[in-house]
Amino acid sequence: MAETIYDVAIIGGGPAGYTAAIRAGQYGLKVALIEKESKLGGTCLHWGCIPTKSLLFNAEVYDHLKHAVEYGIEGLGEGKLNWDTIQKRKQGIIDKHAKGLVFLMKKNKVTVFASHGRLSGPAKDGVHSVDVQAAPGTGEGERTSIKAKNVILATGSDAKMLPGLQADSQVLTNMEILSLKEIPKSMVVIGSGAVGVEFGSIFKSFGTEITIVEALPRLVPNEDEDVSKELARVFRKRGIESFVGAKFEKLEKTKTSVKVTITASDGKQMVKEVDKVLVAVGRAPRTGDVGLDKTKIKPDRGFITVNEWMQTQEPGVYAIGDIVAGLPQLAHVGAMCGMVVAARIAGKYARPVKRERVPACTYCEPQIGSVGLTEAAAKEKGLQVKVGKFPFTANSKASIVDSHEGFVKIVADAKYGEILGVHIIGPQATELIAEAVTAMELEATVEEMMFTIHAHPTLAEAMLDGFGSVENMAINA
Ligand SMILES: Cc1cc2nc3c(=O)[nH]c(=O)nc-3n(C[C@H](O)[C@H](O)[C@H](O)COP(=O)(O)OP(=O)(O)OC[C@H]3O[C@@H](n4cnc5c(N)ncnc54)[C@H](O)[C@@H]3O)c2cc1C
């Protein structure tokens, strides 16, 4: 029988890889997807987006129930968490969606190889080879080679660890924290990016004493400064202790606790004795064992440089997702890059992913959603900006859902009203940001958004008032 030559072989079955596979299948391409774990879904489904947001839902409901009497719901008593049930529910959601991916692969005629994948050398006559080997002990066949006209690398990332530390039952990354046996009484979180503040916020709602240590001068350092300030204020109010501009010095483990030495921004040293330490200091690309040495690809600290169509230096080899240099490590970025590459390979219409149109969402309480330039970044670029800010305290739906913290901030070009950036902190910020992304993608101006009807009463009206506030014409403030 003639050897199968796939149109595209994809190494890595996370959101970047499986989305590329589905879209390529929809275009009628012959697709192979190679995933080394037993289930598709990657970090996002098993260790990232989905499990954390499942826990966040528990935290949200629990926080609401703490106010039940205020809302006129009596007889619930104090209420207490059943950690086992919370964990089972989380796993149920993951399993359901992992099964869904198996169905989607079948539906789109994608051949899945449960194996490690590695490029085995440069293409011969425009055809690449990918070594595929069943994981030891699975008995799923021998080492073999898949042939494909195009290869997409989508191997994702791993949590970084601080020098000298190793993850275990006391020092946690995003993986160990998801399988804790019980809710810790206290925890130091090192790093205040999305992963750090989300876990800090969730576990604070569950009753854990949280201390956040951030080396940079503010929480969520990639966000607009006003957002960082608001988050710090609300976290303080919630009893989350934060040290910014602070340095983690060392930790010492006892049988039952961890003593963490921190130098605060004023130079004072302190020791925090806690149950657990979460290290959330970023993610390193997983590109060490995919055969890059056999290609023209020269990774930069593991990250792969691509052009606007996600093409690497090696013809016919693309990179998408967390391994790409210069793009945010987010599931929706990887997924969209996957759709772009599939379209290019199929010779269909595609638009490049633009960094400034990528929404960033942080699912802590209060939530953060942002897109485009911060006020400071726009000014640094020498742009003349107009800024509008509308507080959720003045939005009627925010009163109804009892969530008043935060604001919508719009950064716009002063002359033409181009929307340069939108920064939301507050209720449903991670949903509201979609409107801003659409507006920016379609190049709407502030004025056009001011005449776009928003239903009443909704949190989305805060967007309308936000756009109005750029011209000092918010209706409700
Ligand atoms: C705690 C946490 C919360 C997060 N929350 C969000 C969120 O809410 N929203 C969001 O957008 N992003 C979130 N992220 C980021 C998101 O998870 C990643 O950006 C996303 O998973 C990256 O997708 P990917 O496909 O590039 O890589 P991954 O999801 O890491 O998938 C890569 C896959 O490739 C496989 N693989 C690796 N090497 C090989 C090989 N050689 N052969 C075969 N298979 C291989 C891996 O097993 C893995 O399944 C979160 C991350 C963390 C850690």
Side-chain angles (χ1 to χ4, degrees):
M1 218 167 76
E3 187 178 20
T4 303
I5 298 182
Y6 291 94
D7 292 313
V8 53
I10 301 160
I11 307 180
Y18 72 67
T19 305
I22 292 169
R23 183 50 59 86
Q26 288 168 340
Y27 285 129
L29 299 177
K30 198 164 182 50
V31 187
L33 178 63
I34 305 147
E35 168 56 55
K36 66 182 172 64
E37 298 295 333
S38 57
K39 287 183 179 165
L40 296 176
T43 303
C44 169
L45 179 54
H46 299 282
W47 312 106
C49 324
I50 304 304
T52 51
K53 271 82 249 182
S54 168
L55 294 179
L56 185 99
F57 177 75
N58 296 103
E60 231 176 84
V61 173
Y62 191 42
D63 282 344
H64 278 309
L65 291 180
K66 290 172 197 162
H67 297 272
V69 173
E70 240 172 80
Y71 302 153
I73 304 162
E74 294 183 355
L76 295 180
E78 258 189 32
K80 98 179 195 284
L81 296 171
N82 183 328
W83 185 235
D84 235 31
T85 308
I86 291 174
Q87 292 285 55
K88 278 190 191 128
R89 180 175 186 275
K90 162 170 78 67
Q91 197 54 47
I93 294 166
I94 294 170
D95 292 345
K96 175 182 163 208
H97 287 273
K99 250 192 188 163
L101 287 174
V102 174
F103 163 78
L104 289 172
M105 293 309 127
K106 280 197 186 125
K107 182 181 169 200
N108 292 291
K109 300 191 175 52
V110 174
T111 307
V112 179
F113 292 83
S115 162
H116 188 104
R118 190 182 298 109
L119 281 163
S120 55
K124 282 191 194 117
D125 301 327
V127 177
H128 299 267
S129 297
V130 180
D131 276 349
V132 173
Q133 190 164 19
T138 58
E140 280 183 24
E142 300 294 304
R143 182 179 186 277
T144 174
S145 189
I146 296 176
K147 302 267 184 269
K149 292 179 201 158
N150 300 280
V151 175
I152 304 177
L153 303 173
T155 46
S157 61
D158 289 309
K160 281 190 199 160
M161 205 10 96
L162 289 165
L165 297 188
Q166 238 188 339
D168 56 24
S169 62
Q170 290 172 300
V171 177
L172 318 171
T173 69
N174 65 295
M175 294 181 97
E176 294 75 23
I177 197 170
L178 289 173
S179 43
L180 286 174
K181 296 274 176 290
E182 55 188 28
I183 296 169
K185 290 203 173 57
S186 53
M187 181 159 70
V188 163
V189 177
I190 304 175
S192 77
V195 174
V197 296
E198 282 183 13
F199 277 119
S201 176
I202 290 167
F203 278 90
K204 179 66 192 176
S205 296
F206 290 165
T208 308
E209 280 310 310
I210 299 288
T211 304
I212 297 178
V213 181
E214 169 58 57
L216 291 171
R218 56 195 177 89
L219 296 178
V220 285
N222 290 335
E223 297 292 343
D224 189 275
E225 274 181 46
D226 286 347
V227 168
S228 296
K229 263 187 221 153
E230 180 69 354
L231 185 68
R233 185 187 72 78
V234 181
F235 268 15
R236 230 178 356 257
K237 202 168 136 191
R238 289 185 61 197
I240 296 175
E241 188 180 35
S242 316
F243 294 95
V244 293
K247 194 165 169 241
F248 159 78
E249 299 290 351
K250 60 173 181 175
L251 61 78
E252 191 190 322
K253 290 180 204 167
T254 72
K255 263 197 178 148
T256 52
S257 70
V258 192
K259 292 177 180 167
V260 187
T261 308
I262 304 158
T263 303
S265 55
D266 60 5
K268 277 196 193 126
Q269 239 182 35
M270 71 194 91
V271 177
K272 291 263 160 198
E273 186 165 359
V274 288
D275 286 357
K276 307 282 178 194
V277 176
L278 172 68
V279 180
V281 294
R283 300 191 56 85
R286 230 184 254 136
T287 51
D289 193 17
V290 283
L292 296 186
D293 50 327
K294 307 214 175 63
T295 69
K296 295 196 185 84
I297 301 168
K298 298 271 166 282
D300 176 11
R301 285 161 296 151
F303 287 100
I304 299 180
T305 305
V306 293
N307 68 11
E308 62 176 342
W309 302 115
M310 317 312 294
Q311 200 150 20
T312 67
Q313 294 106 322
E314 180 74 24
V317 178
Y318 300 81
I320 56 175
D322 280 9
I323 58 175
V324 173
L327 279 180
Q329 291 177 303
L330 293 167
H332 45 276
V333 176
M336 186 51 79
C337 292
M339 291 189 249
V340 169
V341 176
R344 291 292 288 182
I345 293 173
K348 305 287 184 192
Y349 170 80
R351 288 155 78 107
V353 169
K354 292 202 176 105
R355 172 70 189 85
E356 63 281 10
R357 305 249 171 95
V358 171
C361 290
T362 304
Y363 303 76
C364 51
E365 174 52 45
Q367 294 186 358
I368 301 167
S370 65
V371 59
L373 297 176
T374 62
E375 183 179 352
K379 286 180 178 163
E380 261 166 43
K381 278 185 144 206
L383 298 168
Q384 295 295 316
V385 298
K386 261 191 190 172
V387 173
K389 207 163 155 189
F390 179 80
F392 280 105
T393 38
N395 172 272
S396 53
K397 185 65 185 283
S399 303
I400 293 164
V401 299
D402 194 19
S403 189
H404 296 114
E405 316 290 6
F407 52 79
V408 172
K409 175 173 175 176
I410 312 283
V411 181
D413 170 78
K415 194 163 173 201
Y416 300 107
E418 180 190 352
I419 302 161
L420 301 171
V422 176
H423 308 276
I424 312 169
I425 178 165
Q428 300 299 326
T430 57
E431 302 286 338
L432 295 176
I433 197 64
E435 174 181 356
V437 182
T438 309
M440 288 170 74
E441 190 65 30
L442 300 178
E443 297 180 359
T445 61
V446 166
E447 202 168 46
E448 284 165 326
M449 294 312 291
M450 285 171 68
F451 284 94
T452 301
I453 302 173
H454 291 65
H456 177 74
T458 58
L459 295 168
E461 282 175 297
M463 297 293 286
L464 180 63
D465 273 322
F467 289 115
S469 67
V470 175
E471 300 298 342
N472 286 321
M473 284 200 279
I475 296 295
N476 295 294

